[in-house]
Amino acid sequence: MNKLKLFFPVIVLLLIACSSQTTRATSSNSLLVTDGVENDQKPTFLLLNGLDSFDECEEIYGFLPCSKTVLGNMFLILVYGYLMYLAAKFMSDGSEDLLEILGPGIVGGLILPILSSLPDALIVLASGLSGSKEIAQVEVSVGMGLLAGSTIMVLTIVWGSCIVAGKCDLVGSTAKDSQDTKVLSLTGSGVSTDIWTCYAARIMLASVVPFIVVQLSQFLGTSSYTRAGIMASLVLSISLLISYCLYQVFQPWIQRRRLAYAKHKHIISGILKHLKMRALGKFVRDDGTPNTEVLEKLFNTIDENSDGYLSATELRALIIGIEFEEVNLDEHDAVDEVMREFDQSHDNRIDITEFSRGITKWLSEVKRSSRYQHDERKELQLISDFHMEAKMEQDLLGDEDDEEVEKIENASWNAFKAVLMLILGTAIAVAFAHPFVDSINSFSTATSIPPFFVGFIVLPFVRSSEGLSALIFASRKKQRTASLTFSQIYAAVTMSHILCLSVFLGLVYFRDLKWDFSAEVLIIIIVCLIVGIFASLETTFPLWTCFVAYVLYPISPLLVYILNHVAGLS
């Protein structure tokens, strides 16, 4: 029953198409669906070409219905829009299922990000691929409307709503998981993300560079510069697309390396801080040589059996009590780390020479990490600062071990279903992208509303399922889910920029279309810079920031209108 509901719009379209063909056989002047009563009066039941227009329109693929009136095209926009929504949903669900089964890497980093933006790219392609050059010049505005509308809606409405849905109490400038008592506090509640989310925002900022390049070439004022700028921007956007996909492939490995190093720093700071509280003097003299007397006394206090060596058991006794559980690291992991760092002879025990050399090496690493490397700086303060830095870095990075890994049952069958959903979604998107763009352009003609504004308002809601998923995920009110939510938002904008812009620039260049989108590109740059710079520098967003995002949405199309029709920018 649910599947029938999903394909109900397709059935309706087929019935309308058949009806219009039947009507065509009896009347060469109308494409309307009549009530079946043969008379000379105008039909009373007008489904497509209703109000008062009997002009013929060109049917898509020779059988899909079309219209030249407002009501007819509104109906078609709803139907085709719903089908594109289904395509995006199928591809999104299939991608998530496949990513859960196969994990990141080639599939998760290369294939799925491209598939996630494929419906948008197909709409952009359809907007300028068919018809004459003059028709393409008009319809390509729909593609620019999609590109601008999707970017701006995600970075304003969706971004701000995720802050509202995921807000928690801010304690010491960090959101407290699952605690939301300061309901309407603009500064006392908000969301916190990890450092990887900042990196995602910076990558999103980098994806704006092709827009800036083509815009600068337009401001130079000559057609040759503009065409060269379009080609340069096209090459740059394709290069960024390839680089971004490669980054996504290798990102899990990079993150694991950074997380391992954060744990390593936490072990160093924890053990040194613990030993420093027991030592009677400085570990290292002012000339940088080990303080042998202090280190030997400390070594002897740890060497419980006085055999001249520190065993794993003795190290474990030392480490018990150090709060490594803050980073999900028990004493066994810490002992293994110390053995790897100190045991140069590989005999599973540490002598006084190895102990002194290891402590000196660790303290040198602490000093290199510190911004203060003066001799008068006390060792304990250096170690304490290093400890706080390591803890903060660990908190920002998060700990992948915190998540429970569930075993996926029937992985082969689930993977098969996921692939089918991807194929089905792709097929729907390919089939109905052109009719969708055509109906939007016809609606624009019937209402005299520029195609850009129709695309700006209508097309982003095709991808509304992703925005709803982001809100549901953010409402779990945890730093980890907030980080994943905002990272996905920035990744979606990045992929939309570099993939859809590559398609758009390719159409403009190879079809030799006029670049007439300065105002639209400028507003994309402005919104991305405002949100992107803030998100790349901060990991905590108070509640008041959502209102800034909300205000940007209505201002954007208004500014485009002012720049185009008042200032005459395009």
Side-chain angles (χ1 to χ4, degrees):
M1 189 66 181
N2 291 332
K3 297 297 183 182
L4 183 60
K5 291 180 180 179
L6 292 178
F7 289 98
F8 179 73
V10 180
I11 298 173
V12 171
L13 279 176
L14 292 175
L15 290 175
I16 294 172
C18 294
S19 299
S20 67
Q21 293 291 336
T22 303
T23 306
R24 182 185 294 275
T26 59
S27 174
S28 61
N29 298 324
S30 176
L31 295 177
L32 305 182
V33 180
T34 70
D35 57 2
V37 179
E38 296 184 3
N39 51 51
D40 296 331
Q41 298 178 353
K42 183 184 294 187
T44 57
F45 177 50
L46 305 178
L47 183 58
L48 289 182
N49 284 347
L51 292 189
D52 56 357
S53 174
F54 284 82
D55 296 333
E56 291 188 5
C57 58
E58 184 178 354
E59 295 172 337
I60 308 299
Y61 306 137
F63 68 92
L64 286 181
C66 61
S67 176
K68 286 192 174 182
T69 64
V70 176
L71 292 180
N73 281 293
M74 285 180 62
F75 172 78
L76 290 178
I77 287 174
L78 289 175
V79 175
Y80 289 136
Y82 182 70
L83 289 170
M84 294 302 294
Y85 165 83
L86 286 182
K89 183 170 176 52
F90 280 141
M91 298 176 73
S92 175
D93 293 345
S95 298
E96 290 180 4
D97 292 343
L98 203 59
L99 182 61
E100 184 180 359
I101 295 169
L102 300 179
I106 298 297
V107 174
L110 181 60
I111 299 175
L112 299 186
I114 294 177
L115 288 176
S116 66
S117 296
L118 186 60
D120 289 352
L122 289 173
I123 292 175
V124 172
L125 183 64
S127 69
L129 190 61
S130 62
S132 64
K133 179 180 176 180
E134 291 73 19
I135 294 175
Q137 184 67 60
V138 175
E139 290 193 350
V140 80
S141 296
V142 177
M144 177 54 72
L146 167 65
L147 189 57
S150 296
T151 294
I152 294 171
M153 188 184 78
V154 168
L155 290 181
T156 56
I157 302 297
V158 176
W159 191 89
S161 298
C162 285
I163 291 179
V164 176
K167 67 182 180 66
C168 298
D169 295 345
L170 295 181
V171 179
S173 73
T174 302
K176 186 72 173 177
D177 285 356
S178 304
Q179 180 178 314
D180 186 18
T181 59
K182 305 175 184 178
V183 181
L184 298 177
S185 177
L186 297 180
T187 57
S189 64
V191 299
S192 292
T193 61
D194 57 24
I195 194 65
W196 285 95
T197 309
C198 293
Y199 297 158
R202 293 169 191 174
I203 294 173
M204 181 186 72
L205 283 175
S207 71
V208 181
V209 174
F211 289 96
I212 298 176
V213 170
V214 72
Q215 194 66 30
L216 288 176
S217 67
Q218 174 71 9
F219 285 152
L220 291 176
T222 63
S223 58
S224 59
Y225 275 120
T226 300
R227 187 161 177 81
I230 292 173
M231 173 53 72
S233 183
L234 174 60
V235 172
L236 181 59
S237 60
I238 293 175
S239 300
L240 287 175
L241 175 62
I242 296 172
S243 300
Y244 181 68
C245 289
L246 291 176
Y247 170 78
Q248 292 286 7
V249 170
F250 294 106
Q251 181 186 8
W253 175 79
I254 296 172
Q255 186 167 3
R256 283 193 293 269
R257 289 292 300 272
R258 290 180 61 90
L259 186 60
Y261 183 65
K263 289 184 176 181
H264 168 73
K265 289 174 66 175
H266 207 94
I267 290 172
I268 292 176
S269 62
I271 293 178
L272 285 180
K273 189 175 181 180
H274 186 71
L275 291 176
K276 189 63 183 177
M277 301 300 294
R278 301 174 60 174
L280 300 174
K282 298 176 65 175
F283 289 150
V284 179
R285 297 187 179 94
D286 293 339
D287 60 0
T289 59
N291 193 336
T292 308
E293 294 181 359
V294 173
L295 291 175
E296 284 184 355
K297 290 179 181 179
L298 185 60
F299 180 88
N300 293 331
T301 60
I302 303 172
D303 184 14
E304 296 179 351
N305 59 6
S306 301
D307 63 349
Y309 296 96
L310 299 183
S311 64
T313 302
E314 290 168 332
L315 288 176
R316 190 172 294 109
L318 167 69
I319 290 170
I320 289 177
I322 302 177
E323 295 183 353
F324 290 124
E325 63 270 13
E326 294 177 353
V327 293
N328 194 29
L329 183 69
D330 60 22
E331 63 270 14
H332 299 286
D333 297 322
V335 169
D336 292 341
E337 183 74 15
V338 173
M339 281 294 184
R340 280 194 298 268
E341 290 284 316
F342 286 39
D343 184 17
Q344 300 299 314
S345 58
H346 304 291
D347 57 356
N348 293 322
R349 57 183 185 174
I350 301 170
D351 59 27
I352 181 60
T353 302
E354 291 172 330
F355 180 78
S356 299
R357 187 185 298 118
I359 293 295
T360 304
K361 174 186 174 184
W362 275 7
L363 195 57
S364 297
E365 187 171 344
V366 169
K367 289 182 177 180
R368 286 197 303 270
S369 178
S370 176
R371 291 173 297 176
Y372 306 97
Q373 300 183 21
H374 305 296
D375 292 338
E376 63 269 17
R377 184 77 171 170
K378 295 185 178 298
E379 283 184 348
L380 182 58
Q381 187 62 48
L382 279 171
I383 295 170
S384 296
D385 289 350
F386 187 76
H387 179 76
M388 293 301 298
E389 177 187 332
K391 186 178 185 303
M392 183 179 298
E393 184 176 351
Q394 179 64 40
D395 291 340
L396 290 175
L397 285 172
D399 193 339
E400 60 187 10
D401 295 333
D402 289 340
E403 296 292 315
E404 294 183 0
V405 180
E406 298 180 359
K407 184 178 180 180
I408 302 175
E409 298 181 358
N410 300 321
S412 299
W413 170 244
N414 289 333
F416 177 73
K417 290 194 298 183
V419 171
L420 283 182
M421 293 177 70
L422 291 174
I423 294 174
L424 180 59
T426 303
I428 295 175
V430 169
F432 293 102
H434 181 207
F436 190 31
V437 171
D438 186 76
S439 62
I440 290 176
N441 189 60
S442 297
F443 178 82
S444 172
T445 302
T447 58
S448 298
I449 300 175
F452 168 81
F453 292 100
V454 181
F456 184 93
I457 300 298
V458 174
L459 293 179
F461 288 96
V462 171
R463 306 297 300 275
S464 59
S465 63
E466 295 183 1
L468 181 61
S469 299
L471 289 175
I472 295 174
F473 204 53
S475 64
R476 297 180 184 179
K477 297 184 180 297
K478 293 183 178 181
Q479 181 182 6
R480 178 172 292 277
T481 55
S483 301
L484 291 174
T485 298
F486 285 96
S487 293
Q488 289 173 357
I489 287 175
Y490 304 143
V493 173
T494 301
M495 183 56 70
S496 177
H497 282 175
I498 55 183
L499 178 59
C500 295
L501 183 62
S502 297
V503 175
F504 187 84
L505 291 171
L507 287 171
V508 173
Y509 185 84
F510 292 107
R511 298 214 64 181
D512 197 21
L513 302 179
K514 180 183 178 182
W515 183 263
D516 198 23
F517 310 103
S518 295
E520 294 84 346
V521 167
L522 190 60
I523 198 63
I524 292 175
I525 294 173
I526 291 173
V527 173
C528 285
L529 288 179
I530 291 174
V531 178
I533 291 175
F534 181 62
S536 65
L537 298 176
E538 298 291 336
T539 57
T540 298
F541 309 111
L543 182 59
W544 63 264
T545 56
C546 75
F547 295 103
V548 177
Y550 288 150
V551 169
L552 286 174
Y553 185 74
I555 287 179
S556 299
L558 178 62
L559 185 57
V560 170
Y561 179 83
I562 293 173
L563 291 174
N564 278 334
H565 300 281
V566 178
L569 182 60
S570 296

